[in-house]
Amino acid sequence: MDHPQQFDVIVIGGGHAGTEAALASARVGANTLLLTQSIETIGQMSCNPAIGGIGKSHLVREIDALGGAMAQATDRAGIQFRTLNSRKGPAVRATRAQADRVLYRNAIRSAVEHCDNLAVFQQSVVDLDIEGDRVRGVVTQMGLRFEARCVVLTTGTFLGGRIHVGLQHQPGGRAGDAPSNALAERLRALPLRVDRLKTGTPPRIDGRTVDFGVMEVQSSEEPRPTMSMLSTPDVHPRQVPCHITHTNARTHEIIRSALDRSPMFTGAIEGVGPRYCPSIEDKVVRFAERPAHQVFVEPEGLETHELYPNGISTSLPFDVQLDAVRSIAGFEGAHVTRPGYAIEYDFFDPRDLDPSLQTRCIEGLYFAGQINGTTGYEEAAAQGLLAGLNAARAVAGEDPWCPERYEAYIGVLVDDLVTLGVTEPYRMFTSRAEYRLRLRQDNADQRLTAQGRALGLVDDVRWSAYTAKKRELERGTAVLAGVVAVPGSDLAGAVVDATDEPIEKPVSLFDILKRPGVDVVGLVGALRAHGIAVEEPVVSQLEIDAKYQGYLQRQDEEIARVKANEGVTLRPDFDYRGISGLSNELKDKLAVRQPATIAQAARIPGVTPAALSLLLVHAKRDAGEQRRA
Amino acid sequence: MLAREMIAAIATPPGRGGIGIVRISGTGLEAMLRGLVGRVPAPRMAELSDFCDADGTAIDRGIVIYFPSPRSMTGEDVVELQGHGGPVVMDALLERACQLGARIARPGEFTERAFLNDKIDLAQAEAVADLIDSASTRAARAAMRSLDGEFSARVTEIDRAVLDLRVFLEAAIDFAEEEIDFLADSDAVERIRAVEGRIERLAIESRRGEALREGLDVVIAGQPNAGKSSLLNRLLAENRAIVTDVPGTTRDLLRADIEIEGVPIRLTDTAGLRAGGGRVETIGVERARTAIAQADLVLAVEDATAVAPGGTTASESLGDVAASRIRVRNKVDLTGEKPGDGGGVIRISALKGDGVDVLRAVIAKIAGVAPGEGAYLARKRHLNALRAASDRCAAARERLSEGFGDLAAEELRQVQAHLGDIVGTTTVDDLLGEIFSTFCIGK
């Protein structure tokens, strides 16, 4: 039967991509339906119970600035918070939280249920209704047909999912859940390139059977950072520590002697796993000289004893898992609550998507999350938000919003996916962002809130908080730029005490902030004593701005060039072979990659400045000929 | 119009011409003009002015013309400084332009910008592309020749050392929680200092290498006894302005610097090309082949008494050569052929001097139209890149000791970009791949 309601946008999947997609679509006014196999698992953290981390919290802050749910949900569910890279410079500073799975799921479900324009329906989707090259709707297991203008697929690891434990394997989308095979079959029939990836999880452990006394303790940091710009630490639940232990020679011996029963090493798994998140058997083989590997023992929540031993994901047979776990310090008497496993799943080559995350071949069909070959909750959520937003904009007849690489990590993520594709599950790292000095988590709100507001994603509460902060920063800048410390004056004396560097000629307080090793608290105190009122958080933010100013200006020139190159398009059937002066290797690469613009071509490894000049000249001539023709 | 960085180059052919022109193109030339001539001249008016150094002393006195965008050669703001020709003045002017924010133009870059700003017809695209291509090849060749032979190998080695450092710094940033043997910041500072030292040593050694070899590299090649040395002597004897007469670094390459119509020419006489000689001769032939490979122009000399006019020519026996070549048929005084240019061959008698004036005219013509930059500009560009790379190393050390690992990493990225400019590769490298193959990563 046909469902009587009509929707603008249908989102399939209730994970991190799906929920952000549905929320974004609904927030900007599209009549949205979230279809999930199970309402109970909306917002489920299928892998490790942590959100954020280096490069990832950058994404979370951007999602937050664009009105997404992930950051505030993390603040409500986080049971241990830490700042990473606190001593390496603000651009790479990151926040990570261990989250209580139940609290997190509840926070996300609550956000979904309280969102206007958003309906939820529980049923597995088995078919897409496609007419010509346009999506019309979806069909569920019981034959129920939903009509929609746009469909966002966020199916995670469920497409053709296959779970491996030892040499046994079975279909599955996540331990305990069935895969979406009918939908996988349907999608494989579309003109999209499809391949397999692999990921894994460790065995889980009952905390009551663990000796924490022999482990290193890692507690929440105080004062506690928050994930969302709108949160304060008051919303955090009770905090509990993580622990760290290590594998040892015996663990490695147990694993080595069982490699003949490993699906990884016997070839039963064909999918490619991530290099940065190898299974323990992989680490033992590839880094044989290492006597020990770290294991982060992460609590799964406040109301459970279950632990997630991060660092020993494995697909070895269960008897080996058990022996290996029990060889680790503190785990000698451990009871394993769930076996570890590897999961292989279908993903679609993201180069078949345009930068709005719409498939190039089917109008109105969007992909987000692991289906695009990424890994990680944060990467999924970021794509979900973008796909949901753009689906809703398409329904409204508006142009898609595609942030640039110099505007947001979301831009880096999507551009990497649609131009370079993936060879392993894609995870964000700060080193992927060539403009990471400007893409800081401390300025995510300043970079994106105004854009989010214009797009309709940012509500009044967030907007007024943002504008208030912005006013404070502007006021602070004006105050600090306007006050000049003259050598020998009282003010200069007080400033010198706070900065440990002499003042030899008159200098504005803003320029003082550019100096290394400024004691912000001391400086704020010194200024207050002189009747200059600026708040410490404001000065801290301005200190970063001052120190990065020179670098950002230099990058502006680079960005201007990139912008110009974005404007020069290359036709997909552009004849690279006809360009003399390009190496054959480069001609092949360009013909295969088919960059859409000169800027994309410039990012292909091996493209030299001279080659780029040649491309520019030929692209311009090509455009001229097209115009004439 | 897009804001473009300023580029500068010497626009006149190399040599000691009476007037030399330095051309600068880009955005923001008014500050440049104020620094150079103390004012912004009226658009498109030739004005006499001192060209000033940073301390205000005059480098030279000449004509300055300012062409504001879009009515200029490139379509951008352009400044032309017409000064006294000669390498010292031109060098000083170029150096000053760089000091004021310009960088030395890549080969063909002025033309490229002119094309992109619609100053050159679309129909000429092919020619522009060819120019960029051939100019780059030629410039690379010229630079390699003018610098130490191992120059690019050493740059590549240093580039690798920088990459290794970046692998450490980036891994420490992106995988802060892994148990990796990260470099302590103080060790990283030391390693950056070491790289900086290597860059500086290379720059110093390259600077004090032999005097600039400017102009056209012309190699005389051919069968033994074709009269190559006689031709060299003839060209030398007729040349009133012999600059130097350097014996070759090897016993079988003879070099001499001459000028033809004001264009400096570096002549190299090579061993006769034939197989099956003794060991010493084989080495000589190898060196001859190297010289031919690096040449701008090859004079392929054949013996008119030994080769029939349509026979296998010396030119063909050279094999595949990148440079232009002129087929020269020597000893026509013995065969009675008419000296001069005809049928793609120049007939001469090196002994009597017949036809050599025609040959000189052809060489001068090729020297005058040879595309792209000469060795001087290429080398200057490379030395500037080395200097910039070493400055960035110093900045990286400072940022690191101030606790800004992210800024230090950015500086090192720029170091690699500068080194990449020299060897012509991009540094969009697989940094993450290097990290994964170097360290055990994986939580």
Side-chain angles (χ1 to χ4, degrees), chain A residues 452-572:
Chain A
R453 180 71 173 179
L455 292 162
L457 290 168
V458 169
D459 63 16
D460 293 345
V461 175
R462 180 177 300 278
W463 183 242
S464 65
Y466 165 75
T467 46
K469 179 180 167 190
K470 188 158 171 275
R471 262 197 312 278
E472 273 306 295
L473 285 173
E474 282 163 0
R475 199 185 68 84
T477 309
V479 167
L480 294 185
V483 178
V484 173
V486 180
S489 66
D490 280 1
L491 177 62
V495 169
V496 168
D497 289 342
T499 58
D500 228 15
E501 206 179 316
I503 293 178
E504 276 149 3
K505 52 182 179 187
V507 56
S508 83
L509 293 179
F510 187 78
D511 286 337
I512 292 275
L513 290 177
K514 292 178 181 165
R515 299 179 168 193
V518 175
D519 165 19
V520 170
V521 177
L523 185 65
V524 168
L527 295 180
R528 192 160 298 145
H530 283 79
I532 301 166
V534 275
E535 297 303 314
E536 194 231 301
V538 171
V539 177
S540 292
Q541 178 72 64
L542 292 178
E543 184 197 8
I544 299 173
D545 292 345
K547 289 207 162 90
Y548 280 64
Q549 204 177 42
Y551 286 88
L552 297 188
Q553 276 166 2
R554 210 153 62 192
Q555 282 191 349
D556 284 341
E557 292 168 23
E558 207 177 317
I559 289 169
R561 266 198 303 283
V562 172
K563 266 187 193 157
N565 287 344
E566 298 284 0
V568 186
T569 53
L570 293 162
R571 284 183 297 123

Side-chain angles (χ1 to χ4, degrees), chain B residues 233-301:
Chain B
N233 287 332
R234 171 61 61 183
L235 288 168
L236 287 177
E238 290 190 2
N239 197 310
R240 293 308 217 159
I242 296 171
V243 182
T244 47
D245 188 352
V246 195
T249 44
T250 74
R251 42 195 285 194
D252 24 41
L253 289 184
L254 195 68
R255 294 205 157 118
D257 292 334
I258 62 169
E259 278 184 16
I260 296 179
E261 292 180 17
V263 178
I265 303 281
R266 188 176 172 79
L267 271 179
T268 304
D269 184 19
T270 62
L273 295 172
R274 70 169 171 196
R279 190 162 172 275
V280 172
E281 193 175 324
T282 309
I283 294 171
V285 170
E286 266 171 34
R287 287 180 181 156
R289 295 226 178 261
T290 309
I292 290 166
Q294 293 180 345
D296 296 315
L297 173 64
V298 177
L299 304 181
V301 183

